[in-house]
Amino acid sequence: MLIGIDVGGTFTDGVVVSKAGQVQAVAKYPTNHANLLESLTGCLDKLLCSFNPDQVERVAISTTLLTNAVLEDRLDQVGLVIEAGPGLCPSDQMFGVKPYFIAGAIDFRGREIQPLDLTEARHVARQCREAGCEGVAVATKFAQRNNSHELALEKCLQKHFPAEAIGLSHRLYGKLNFPRRANTTYLTVASRRLFQTFLQGVEKAVRDRGITAPIVVLKADGGTTPVATAAFRPVETIYSGPAASVLGVLALNPPQATLGIIDIGGTTTDLGLILDGNPLLSAKGAEIGRFKTVVRSFSVSSVAVGGDTAVGINAGQLFLSSKREGPAYCLGGPTPTPTDALRFLGLSEFGDGERAAQAMQLLAQATGSVAKAVAEKVVSLVVERICHAFAGIVKAWENEPAYRVWEVLHPHRVKRFTLTGVGGAATGLIPLVAKQLNTDWQIPEYSKVANALGAALAQPTFSATLRADTTQKQYTLAETGQQLGWPYGRGTLEQAKELAWQRFRQVAEEFGMSPECGEVTREEVFNVVNGWSTEGKIIEVAVERKAGVLNHVKEGETGE
């Protein structure tokens, strides 16, 4: 049996499901933001009431821990050391925090064009320590093609910081886009201690309950990763929750479906897209708060509106607050919310009907209106905000290069997303959203625990990305930062693909997957010309295990 647990803003949801997609049990537990571990273990205990721990084959978790920590500025104080080199006018605005700039440069081929200033490097190391930094993130331009400057900076920093508190960008993320790579390295170091503490608690809680199965965490790209890897690269769990809802909807629908996902939670509404059965990926990477990253992510978005969004009054007009002040009034909370409006209008059966009516009456008295009109206005404001956000994510995707390719490959296909609602407030709101967007809609079975289902049924994702410069006689592996000698002279694309496949098979074996579970997703060859002759090649190959689900849940398949 597979266990999936999603730590959401209002509830922590859990499911037990077989690999064949048969749901055996579901559970909900109120989320305690001051103690997410307590929420997770409370949900787990509910699930284990009906099952022997020996039956559990895997525990998968999706969590908002990192997302909330970034948005609430609860990260460790970390210094960001930048070697920008020529060709880029560095500014603080490029990065999520104010960096320490240092002289030195590597060019796009990995050749040193300006030595690292070691005197300045030692001075910056002391500055970081004197500023009270608990760690340091280092990013030099083109470090993924020559890591010598980052390694030299590490030696300077090790005199003031322990090795585990130093992060080098080439060891973490091998993608181009220097400012995003720097931001991603910073977030990794700044969130590591928080995430490691959380995962250690999760591991202890799971093992204390007699479960010996592997524990994995859901990443932003919809893949699972072992807790050890998640602890090393916690930033990859940004948008773990929205990724879970995308996968949950994927599991609850037949293959090849084209769907728009609207997951209406208590605090936020998460949006995503599935085209022809494939969850759509963001071309550049996840963005959160003031940070743009290279983290591989589904094309998802979150809008600050949910069932527990506080409804306020300004100059006699209703408005939706940007935050949650507690549960809905009909659930004993302090202030009226959209959940109360839905309950009052008969669009939901969630909560106490009399308390919901009281909440609408309070708003009506303050605005000089009547309760029904107020409730309808509140619902209208929520629908309007969700529609605006969904139209935005569709437009953003249409500007992605991958969508242009899809248009070329399917010139006569009409792209029409069927809105799929999940989450507690979906039943009352999705029909209204679909009507305004003039599209079809559905609310599948198990929609209220779709995120937990997505986590439970998610497949691992991993890749081997190789870049060879045969003139420089070296190749690099982006995922590990390794820079190795090229063994084939000028070499060919086929030889580079074989090296990439060798690395991919090693990773697949570590995940316990078939060595042939991947596919080549990119292959490019560029000649290196000197004068009138070709002296070598630059070859790039990527082999990937893409996101997906182990199986689809068919309607009516349940062990309840």
Side-chain angles (χ1 to χ4, degrees):
M1 293 297 174
L2 307 172
I3 288 181
I5 297 178
D6 173 65
V7 185
T10 303
F11 285 101
T12 295
D13 298 335
V15 297
V16 178
V17 60
S18 70
K19 285 184 178 179
Q22 186 177 29
V23 177
Q24 300 295 317
V26 300
K28 278 184 173 288
Y29 192 92
T31 296
N32 178 358
H33 290 270
N35 190 346
L36 295 182
L37 182 60
E38 184 266 336
S39 305
L40 188 147
T41 53
C43 184
L44 180 60
D45 286 339
K46 279 191 169 186
L47 293 173
L48 289 176
C49 286
S50 306
F51 290 91
N52 188 318
D54 292 340
Q55 296 177 271
V56 179
E57 299 171 72
R58 188 183 76 172
V59 178
I61 298 164
S62 67
T63 174
T64 58
L65 176 66
L66 182 59
T67 301
N68 292 341
V70 174
L71 296 178
E72 296 168 10
D73 200 21
R74 291 190 289 107
L75 301 173
D76 287 347
Q77 183 178 347
V78 168
L80 175 61
V81 178
I82 294 295
E83 181 190 82
L88 176 71
C89 182
S91 67
D92 295 352
Q93 287 72 34
M94 288 181 179
F95 309 101
V97 294
K98 183 178 177 63
Y100 297 87
F101 293 107
I102 197 165
I106 300 291
D107 75 1
F108 71 100
R109 293 281 301 282
R111 300 169 295 195
E112 184 181 72
I113 55 176
Q114 181 183 351
L116 175 69
D117 188 330
L118 290 175
T119 301
E120 187 178 23
R122 287 188 284 269
H123 175 65
V124 165
R126 288 193 298 271
Q127 277 187 303
C128 289
R129 170 51 68 195
E130 291 166 3
C133 293
E134 298 169 88
V136 180
V138 178
T140 68
K141 195 192 294 184
F142 297 117
Q144 67 273 61
R145 295 177 185 173
N146 182 340
N147 58 27
S148 60
H149 285 195
E150 288 197 351
L151 294 175
L153 280 165
E154 182 182 40
K155 287 184 179 179
C156 294
L157 290 165
Q158 283 176 341
K159 296 178 181 179
H160 302 275
F161 297 92
E164 63 271 14
I166 302 170
L168 306 184
S169 72
H170 79 272
R171 289 180 182 156
L172 296 167
Y173 309 100
K175 295 181 181 178
L176 293 174
N177 195 316
F178 174 59
R180 283 179 177 262
R181 179 161 50 87
N183 281 334
T184 310
T185 306
Y186 170 85
L187 287 177
T188 297
V189 179
S191 63
R192 225 178 233 165
R193 185 174 59 86
L194 174 70
F195 212 73
Q196 286 175 351
T197 300
F198 173 70
L199 291 180
Q200 286 167 4
V202 170
E203 282 195 285
K204 184 178 186 307
V206 170
R207 302 307 179 216
D208 285 350
R209 285 155 177 78
I211 299 174
T212 59
I215 306 168
V216 297
V217 183
L218 194 67
K219 300 183 297 178
D221 70 353
T224 61
T225 189
V227 288
T229 306
F232 183 65
R233 291 188 174 93
V235 70
E236 292 185 350
T237 67
I238 285 176
Y239 296 136
S240 172
S245 58
V246 170
L247 290 175
V249 169
L250 187 67
L252 290 168
N253 282 274
Q256 313 308 319
T258 293
L259 307 164
I261 299 108
I262 300 183
D263 179 4
I264 306 173
T267 308
T268 62
T269 295
D270 297 327
L271 311 170
L273 301 171
I274 295 173
L275 188 64
D276 284 348
N278 297 303
L280 303 185
L281 288 163
S282 174
K284 294 182 179 179
E287 298 183 15
I288 181 166
R290 63 186 186 274
F291 296 96
K292 295 181 178 180
T293 77
V294 294
V295 173
R296 183 178 171 87
S297 170
F298 284 156
S299 182
V300 295
S301 177
S302 292
V303 56
V305 64
D308 294 342
T309 298
V311 179
I313 301 171
N314 184 17
Q317 299 296 314
L318 296 172
F319 74 94
L320 298 174
S321 172
S322 60
K323 61 182 181 179
R324 177 181 184 269
E325 296 181 3
Y329 195 86
C330 64
L331 294 172
T335 188
T337 68
T339 295
D340 298 300
L342 292 168
R343 181 70 175 90
F344 177 76
L345 294 171
L347 297 174
S348 167
E349 297 180 356
F350 196 53
D352 184 291
E354 290 186 9
R355 293 260 314 169
Q358 291 172 16
M360 294 303 100
Q361 192 60 44
L362 289 172
L363 294 176
Q365 290 171 356
T367 57
S369 183
V370 297
K372 183 178 180 184
V374 165
E376 290 173 343
K377 179 61 176 176
V378 170
V379 172
S380 164
L381 290 172
V382 174
V383 169
E384 182 180 341
R385 188 176 289 186
I386 293 174
C387 287
H388 178 76
F390 186 77
I393 193 175
V394 171
K395 186 168 183 60
W397 168 250
E398 288 175 344
N399 291 327
E400 294 269 20
Y403 174 70
R404 303 300 182 193
V405 173
W406 184 87
E407 282 192 312
V408 171
L409 295 175
H410 307 87
H412 305 298
R413 294 275 294 277
V414 177
K415 173 180 60 62
R416 183 179 177 85
F417 294 101
T418 297
L419 291 190
T420 302
V422 297
T427 304
L429 289 172
I430 291 301
L432 302 176
V433 173
K435 182 178 180 180
Q436 188 159 322
L437 293 174
N438 190 30
T439 191
D440 301 327
W441 63 274
Q442 63 168 338
I443 298 176
E445 189 179 10
Y446 302 117
S447 64
K448 292 182 180 179
V449 291
N451 288 29
L453 269 173
L457 291 169
Q459 298 179 151
T461 57
F462 45 89
S463 60
T465 307
L466 176 146
R467 181 187 184 275
D469 187 331
T470 65
T471 305
Q472 300 291 320
K473 302 187 186 306
Q474 76 166 18
Y475 72 95
T476 60
L477 293 170
E479 290 75 15
T480 62
Q482 289 176 280
Q483 298 178 358
L484 305 167
W486 176 253
Y488 297 119
R490 284 195 177 185
T492 65
L493 173 61
E494 291 305 313
Q495 289 169 328
K497 285 167 70 173
E498 180 53 35
L499 284 175
W501 271 110
Q502 285 178 17
R503 175 57 189 163
F504 182 86
R505 293 183 187 110
Q506 290 174 4
V507 179
E509 185 176 349
E510 293 170 8
F511 276 87
M513 306 293 293
S514 163
E516 305 303 325
C517 66
E519 60 180 288
V520 176
T521 56
R522 188 172 81 252
E523 52 181 68
E524 297 177 327
V525 181
F526 306 93
N527 288 328
V528 177
V529 178
N530 186 3
W532 296 97
S533 61
T534 299
E535 64 177 16
K537 293 182 175 67
I538 293 175
I539 309 172
E540 296 185 3
V541 178
V543 184
E544 295 182 35
R545 162 76 168 185
K546 291 185 176 181
V549 291
L550 297 171
N551 219 317
H552 292 260
V553 178
K554 299 178 178 61
E555 187 174 352
E557 280 200 353
T558 176
E560 297 177 321

